Amino acid sequence: MGARGKTRWFARLAGATALALGLAACSGGTGADDADNSGGGDSAKEIKVVIAEYSKDHTATFWNAFKATYEKQTGVKLNLQIISWNDIDQQASTMVQNGNPPDILNLNAYASYAKDGLLYNSDEVLTSDVKSDLIDAFVKSGTYNGKMYGFPDLSSARALFYNKDLFAKAGITNPPKTWAEFVTAAKKVQALGNGTIGYAQPLGPEEAQAEYSIWMFNNGGDWKTDGKWTINSAKNVETLQFLKDLSAKEKVTQNNPGKTNRTDGAFPLFTSGKAGMIVGFGPLQGDLDTKYKNVKYGIAPMPTKDGGPPQTYGVTDYLMAFKKDGNQEAIKKFYELYYSPDQVNTWIKSEGFLPVTESGLKEFSSEESLKVYLDTLPNVHLTPTDDPAWDKIKLAVQQNLGTAVSPSGDPKKVLDDLQKTAEAGG
């Protein structure tokens, strides 16, 4: 999910009980023998698994334990490599271009590899029980040309976080429901002075597409409509102009929002009590509940342009499997283990994200603080990861969108250029 949120959201939910789940071997499982067994060659004795680093605290801990469990159960060596989100796109691309892809790759875009015929589909490596348990929205986002190639590892959904103390000092009684109310609230917080800002806006290269998407969706826009790219639609231009105006005209954001990343820029402004509002998700909530308890915060649905039903932006990342001679059986066993509840849900809880399975929704449903996310998760808006061009478009968005909100930036021109990139196939 770009460079993902970094701490345990579920500290209070999981506690000692969830941690006690550990990563013990799954004694049950559905068996991988009901998936298509068409792979050729001798069975692999080793697979390489490349995982994105979601957090310094939990990613390596989980995957090293998973590695030990997998190796004990299967007798297959798991060569684990963990790469930061800042570097994994380029390193993964280089691996593939050099003809040496990993067996399993954790990334947020898959369709270009599926288009090139490099990946296994779900019929080849997932059991029927696993396939039926995956949430429909993520099956759809992971499907290219009628086959599922992107297998979700975890998910998140976004909402508006606001600082209750700053709101009270500014005389704001309720979180905003419209863009006009949002601007008014941001101005009141900004007017408090002492370094406070109305809204922490991250449109830097880390995950500009996420920040922009949630505002776009709440203005009735989208990246594609009826199968055609609509990046430079009138509504989308209006949205990006609004985001520019927040800094250039209304002056309610931090300096240089077009260069500010979420993890090391915007989030610290909110956790330090300096920002009135920010778009956040589970890991930020986890930090606030465990590391920054002095910040009193609330969570609300996103404000919409005209007060219509709020829309939710969601993200899932993928564990895709590359076809190699003899590796199919080892990959089946990887997914069979990963999607067992005591593995996938422990991983998701440790990193502070949301489930990708129907059984996970049931397990997480008792946590009241997740209600705003879980209620909308099955119907979230996602970026078009099922289009092979998206991974290149996403990089172009990350690199260029922030320039639109600089004082001399031109939102329409930036979106026009991105539209041309999309129409050219990325």
Side-chain angles (χ1 to χ4, degrees):
M1 296 166 180
R4 294 296 176 255
K6 308 298 192 227
T7 60
R8 176 181 289 161
W9 181 10
F10 292 91
R12 63 193 184 286
L13 166 65
T17 301
L19 288 177
L21 286 172
L23 291 164
C26 308
S27 59
T30 57
D33 56 352
D34 59 338
D36 175 19
N37 191 27
S38 59
D42 295 332
S43 181
K45 302 300 183 185
E46 178 178 345
I47 61 170
K48 181 176 182 179
V49 177
V50 173
I51 298 295
E53 184 181 65
Y54 290 83
S55 71
K56 298 289 185 184
D57 296 333
H58 305 296
T59 301
T61 299
F62 174 87
W63 284 106
N64 280 313
F66 181 94
K67 164 184 161 71
T69 301
Y70 175 85
E71 291 179 343
K72 181 178 180 181
Q73 283 193 357
T74 67
V76 177
K77 181 178 179 182
L78 193 157
N79 180 6
L80 176 66
Q81 183 177 4
I82 297 173
I83 303 175
S84 89
W85 273 108
N86 293 328
D87 302 320
I88 194 167
D89 279 306
Q90 183 58 55
Q91 289 195 32
S93 178
T94 299
M95 292 177 195
V96 176
Q97 289 173 5
N98 289 342
N100 188 33
D103 297 272
I104 301 284
L105 173 62
N106 179 202
L107 206 60
N108 52 17
Y110 71 90
S112 62
Y113 297 136
K115 180 183 178 182
D116 291 340
L118 301 178
L119 304 180
Y120 286 113
N121 65 54
S122 60
D123 294 333
E124 296 170 316
V125 292
L126 297 188
T127 69
S128 58
D129 285 351
V130 167
K131 288 188 286 186
S132 65
D133 195 32
L134 295 173
I135 293 172
D136 286 345
F138 302 133
V139 173
K140 181 179 179 182
S141 71
T143 296
Y144 167 72
N145 234 10
K147 293 284 188 179
M148 186 182 185
Y149 298 92
F151 312 134
D153 69 325
L154 45 69
S155 70
S156 71
R158 311 297 163 96
L160 184 71
F161 284 56
Y162 60 97
N163 184 307
K164 290 184 174 181
D165 289 338
L166 292 181
F167 267 41
K169 290 178 182 178
I172 305 167
T173 56
N174 296 301
K177 294 183 178 181
T178 67
W179 286 9
E181 291 177 0
F182 175 85
V183 172
T184 298
K187 284 183 174 180
K188 288 181 177 179
V189 171
Q190 191 84 21
L192 295 174
N194 297 318
T196 61
I197 63 168
Y199 178 61
Q201 183 186 72
L203 284 169
E206 180 187 350
E207 209 180 23
Q209 79 280 3
E211 174 73 9
Y212 177 56
S213 288
I214 196 164
W215 290 99
M216 175 206 303
F217 296 145
N218 281 286
N219 189 27
D222 210 331
W223 296 97
K224 296 180 78 174
T225 302
D226 296 328
K228 295 183 179 180
W229 292 103
T230 54
I231 296 174
N232 64 344
S233 70
K235 285 186 177 294
N236 290 352
V237 173
E238 180 184 37
T239 297
L240 193 53
Q241 184 65 53
F242 170 77
L243 295 177
K244 175 185 176 179
D245 288 346
L246 291 178
S247 59
K249 178 182 176 182
E250 308 295 354
K251 301 189 183 304
V252 294
T253 73
Q254 78 282 6
N255 293 328
N256 298 318
K259 296 182 179 179
T260 302
N261 285 331
R262 180 190 64 197
T263 305
D264 59 6
F267 278 6
L269 288 171
F270 194 83
T271 57
S272 65
K274 294 295 186 180
M277 293 174 284
I278 191 171
V279 173
F281 63 143
L284 174 61
Q285 187 175 351
D287 274 353
L288 291 166
D289 289 344
T290 58
K291 296 182 179 180
Y292 307 100
K293 296 182 180 180
N294 59 311
V295 177
K296 308 303 179 186
Y297 69 95
I299 304 177
M302 284 294 294
T304 64
K305 171 66 165 57
D306 298 314
Q311 306 299 303
T312 301
Y313 167 65
V315 175
T316 187
D317 298 325
Y318 304 99
L319 289 167
M320 65 200 77
F322 284 81
K323 293 180 178 180
K324 295 183 182 180
D325 190 37
N327 74 343
Q328 187 176 10
E329 191 63 33
I331 284 175
K332 290 179 187 177
K333 292 176 181 178
F334 174 93
Y335 287 122
E336 181 183 7
L337 177 61
Y338 178 74
Y339 283 115
S340 59
D342 65 336
Q343 298 288 341
V344 64
N345 291 334
T346 298
W347 161 239
I348 290 170
K349 288 177 182 178
S350 71
E351 291 289 4
F353 287 96
L354 297 175
V356 294
T357 60
E358 295 290 347
S359 58
L361 280 177
K362 293 177 182 177
E363 180 172 333
F364 288 44
S365 63
S366 61
E367 178 58 29
E368 184 63 28
S369 66
L370 306 186
K371 184 173 176 58
V372 67
Y373 308 107
L374 296 180
D375 285 351
T376 58
L377 190 59
N379 298 305
V380 292
H381 292 268
L382 300 165
T383 52
T385 54
D386 58 338
D387 191 304
W390 173 247
D391 53 349
K392 293 181 181 178
I393 296 166
K394 178 195 67 176
L395 290 175
V397 172
Q398 291 171 330
Q399 294 165 1
N400 299 304
L401 195 73
T403 64
V405 300
S406 68
S408 60
D410 185 340
K412 187 177 187 307
K413 183 181 185 305
V414 169
L415 294 182
D416 283 344
D417 289 345
L418 290 170
Q419 178 75 18
K420 292 175 183 177
T421 298
E423 291 176 348

